[in-house]
Amino acid sequence: MDHDIIIIGAGPAGLSFARLLADTGMNILLIEKQKESTLAKPDYDGREIALTHLSYKIMQETGMWGRIADKDISLIKDAKVLNGTLDNPLFFDHRQSGKENLGFMISNHHIRRAAYEAVKPYKNIKLMTGEEVSGVSTGATSGTVTLKSGKELTASLVVSADSRFSATRRMMGISTDMRDFGRTCIVCKVKLDREHDDTAYECFFYDRTLAVLPLKGKYCSVVITIATKDAHLVLDQTPEEFGDEITNRMEGRFGNMSLDTELFPYPLVGTYADKFYANRYALMGDAAVGMHPVTAHGFNFGLRGANTLAQEIIKHHDLGLDIGSEDILMRYNRQHRQHTLPLYMGTNALVGLYTKDTPLAKLARKTLLTVGEHFPPAKRMIMNQLTESKA
Ligand SMILES: Cc1cc2nc3c(=O)[nH]c(=O)nc-3n(C[C@H](O)[C@H](O)[C@H](O)COP(=O)(O)OP(=O)(O)OC[C@H]3O[C@@H](n4cnc5c(N)ncnc54)[C@H](O)[C@@H]3O)c2cc1C
C-alpha cells in the first residue's frame, strides 16, 4: 500500500482534513490539480466567508486561525434580516446568544493560504500538485487512484474533496441531488462612509437579495443574488452606478457606498450527495454538500464534516483498527447527514420562498419574519447553530 489515506483536492476542506489527521503520523497524500504556488498564495476571489464558533474552534486547534492576521478577521456581532424594505427587521442580537459575537468573517483566500501553511510543515503529509485525478476505484482491502499521467496510487482510504461538481464522486457511482437555482451570486468588497457596527444585513428585495456583511474598518462584503438572465444588469454597471444603486437600496444607512474591488460572479448550484461514502471511500466538503451561500454554511459544513470523519479515524487508528472500515464511514455518513440535511433542505426552501414574486410568497415571507421576531425558540435555534462550539 502506497499511503494510508489519499485525499483528492487540496481546497480548504481537503487541506483541513489532512491537518486534522496530521498528528497521527499517518502517511497522507493530497492530490491537487492546481500549482503549489497557487495554494501558497491564492488570489482574492471576492468571497468573504462567514464562520461559526465551531469553525473558529477547529481552526484554532489546527493552527489555521493563528496564521491569519487580526486585521483580516472581522466580527459579526448582530444580524438583521429584512423583507422588501429596511423596516421591521428580524433582529439577531448577540447578547441573546451568550457570546460576544454571532460569528466571524475571513476572506476565502486567507483561509486557503492558512490551511496550506498549516499542512506544509508535516513530513507525513505529501502534496502532489499540478496533477489531475482521472480515475478512482476501491476494493476489499484498498483504493486505487489513477492520475491523468497514467500513474496509479493505492491507499486504505480514498477521500474526495474535489468540489461540488466532483468528477470522482461520479466515478464512484454516487448519485447526487443537484439544484440549479438559475441565479447568480455576485460578490465584492465595498467601502462605506459610516460605521456598520459589526452588523450583518440580509435584505430580501423582490428582484434580488442583497447581503451587506461587516468587514474590518469601514468596509463590507456585498453579496447580490439575482436571476442569471438579469446578472448583466449588475455586472455591466460602472463602479459609480453600482455604488449609487446599493447606497440607495440601503437607504443611505452607511452614507455613500463605493466599490473597492472588481465584481466576482458565481453561478448558484446546490448539491447533496445521496450518501457520503462507499467501500473505502468518503466524500468531503462541497463534494458531499454544496450549499447555496445565502445561509453561509458551505465551508462551515466542510470543516465540521472533516472533523467528524477525522475523529472517527483517529479513534480506530489509536486502537490499531482498519481506518478504511465501513463502520467508520457509516458513522461519519450518519452524523454528517443528520447535521447538514435539515439545513440544506431549509436553505433551499428559503431560497424558493424569497425568489418568488407571487402574492402568496410575499405574504408567507412577511409572516415568517413576524413569527421569527416574536417566537424566541426559532431565533434561538438559528443563533445556536451559529454560536455553538461543540462538534
Ligand atoms: C459566493 C460564495 C460565498 C460563500 N460564502 C460562504 C460563507 O459565508 N460561509 C461558508 O461557510 N461558506 C461559504 N461559501 C462556500 C465555500 O466557499 C465552500 O464551501 C468551500 O470553498 C468549499 O471548499 P472545498 O475544499 O470543499 O472545495 P473547493 O474549494 O471547490 O476545492 C476543490 C479542490 O479540488 C481540486 N480538484 C478538483 N478536481 C480535481 C481532480 N480531478 N484532481 C485533483 N484536484 C482536483 C480543485 O482544483 C480545488 O482546489 C461561499 C461560496 C460562494 C461561491
Side-chain angles (χ1 to χ4, degrees):
M1 194 93 60
D2 302 319
H3 303 277
D4 291 311
I5 301 179
I6 294 178
I7 305 169
I8 304 166
L15 285 165
S16 304
F17 180 57
R19 173 59 191 87
L20 280 156
L21 291 169
D23 295 323
T24 60
M26 270 188 273
N27 176 356
I28 298 169
L29 173 67
L30 267 157
I31 307 174
E32 168 58 53
K33 64 181 175 188
Q34 295 183 69
K35 291 190 295 222
E36 184 151 358
S37 56
T38 309
L39 300 186
K41 211 166 176 278
D43 288 335
Y44 179 71
D45 61 14
R47 276 185 251 189
E48 302 286 346
I49 305 293
L51 297 164
T52 61
H53 283 257
L54 176 63
S55 294
Y56 162 72
K57 184 169 173 260
I58 298 172
M59 287 175 72
Q60 269 218 326
E61 286 168 359
T62 50
M64 286 161 64
W65 198 268
R67 293 173 191 274
I68 299 169
D70 277 353
K71 69 175 178 52
D72 296 321
I73 302 174
S74 313
L75 298 182
I76 303 178
K77 282 207 161 160
D78 302 319
K80 291 183 178 173
V81 181
L82 303 123
N83 179 34
T85 69
L86 297 196
D87 303 325
N88 305 318
L90 172 57
F91 182 46
F92 295 94
D93 182 341
H94 73 279
R95 286 169 301 187
Q96 292 168 2
S97 75
K99 289 264 167 54
E100 283 179 15
N101 57 310
L102 294 179
F104 307 84
M105 295 286 301
I106 301 182
S107 272
N108 194 40
H109 73 302
H110 287 315
I111 295 175
R112 291 178 58 199
R113 177 193 45 77
Y116 166 81
E117 287 176 3
V119 157
K120 201 58 194 152
Y122 285 89
K123 298 274 172 286
N124 55 319
I125 302 179
K126 189 174 167 216
L127 253 173
M128 187 180 267
T129 51
E131 292 279 4
E132 190 169 341
V133 172
S134 61
V136 189
S137 61
T138 57
T141 53
S142 68
T144 304
V145 170
T146 310
L147 304 181
K148 238 181 171 176
S149 59
K151 187 171 181 183
E152 290 196 341
L153 300 151
T154 56
S156 294
L157 176 67
V158 178
V159 175
S160 285
D162 54 348
S163 87
R164 67 186 62 203
F165 301 113
S166 170
T168 52
R169 177 181 65 205
R170 182 173 293 118
M171 290 169 200
M172 287 298 292
I174 298 183
S175 53
T176 299
D177 176 68
M178 280 205 185
R179 174 135 180 227
D180 187 336
F181 293 97
R183 298 179 79 76
T184 295
C185 187
I186 300 168
V187 286
C188 60
K189 190 171 170 182
V190 162
K191 191 165 171 18
L192 310 173
D193 264 356
R194 296 198 197 128
E195 301 290 341
H196 48 53
D197 296 328
D198 300 319
T199 301
Y201 291 80
E202 184 78 56
C203 311
F204 293 97
F205 295 111
Y206 295 127
D207 58 338
R208 65 185 72 175
T209 63
L210 168 64
V212 176
L213 309 169
L215 299 179
K216 268 268 159 74
K218 287 190 200 164
Y219 287 92
C220 68
S221 164
V222 163
V223 185
I224 296 169
T225 312
I226 190 165
T228 299
K229 68 179 177 44
D230 299 327
H232 66 96
L233 299 175
V234 177
L235 294 170
D236 293 348
Q237 282 177 317
T238 63
E240 292 71 29
E241 287 167 343
F242 179 88
D244 287 347
E245 184 171 0
I246 46 169
T247 302
N248 290 336
R249 281 188 185 259
M250 294 311 292
E251 298 174 7
R253 167 168 309 224
F254 305 114
N256 271 337
M257 298 172 76
S258 49
L259 194 58
D260 195 58
T261 59
E262 61 183 285
L263 300 173
F264 296 84
Y266 292 90
L268 291 179
V269 180
T271 58
Y272 199 94
D274 287 347
K275 54 182 193 154
F276 298 162
Y277 77 106
N279 184 31
R280 295 198 173 272
Y281 177 79
L283 295 174
M284 172 89 17
D286 276 16
V289 186
M291 292 289 289
H292 187 296
V294 71
T295 49
H297 277 303
F299 180 56
N300 289 304
F301 279 170
L303 261 185
R304 177 185 273 271
N307 190 49
T308 304
L309 182 54
Q311 296 316 318
E312 289 294 336
I313 290 175
I314 290 167
K315 268 190 258 167
H316 278 65
H317 180 255
D318 287 350
L319 295 170
L321 300 172
D322 179 5
I323 57 148
S325 75
E326 192 175 15
D327 183 35
I328 294 182
L329 300 173
M330 274 169 62
R331 272 185 225 239
Y332 160 63
N333 182 63
R334 192 178 58 243
Q335 289 177 46
H336 200 40
R337 292 183 90 76
Q338 249 171 22
H339 197 85
T340 53
L341 191 57
L343 279 154
Y344 178 76
M345 307 284 274
T347 300
N348 290 359
L350 188 80
V351 170
L353 185 64
Y354 281 92
T355 48
K356 279 191 195 122
D357 271 349
T358 60
L360 194 65
K362 284 183 181 171
L363 179 69
R365 56 195 184 206
K366 204 169 167 190
T367 311
L368 204 69
L369 287 197
T370 313
V371 170
E373 185 56 25
H374 297 104
F375 186 57
K379 259 171 121 173
R380 215 174 300 126
M381 199 180 80
I382 296 172
M383 283 204 279
N384 285 348
Q385 174 66 33
L386 298 170
T387 55
E388 71 173 351
S389 37
K390 237 176 67 218

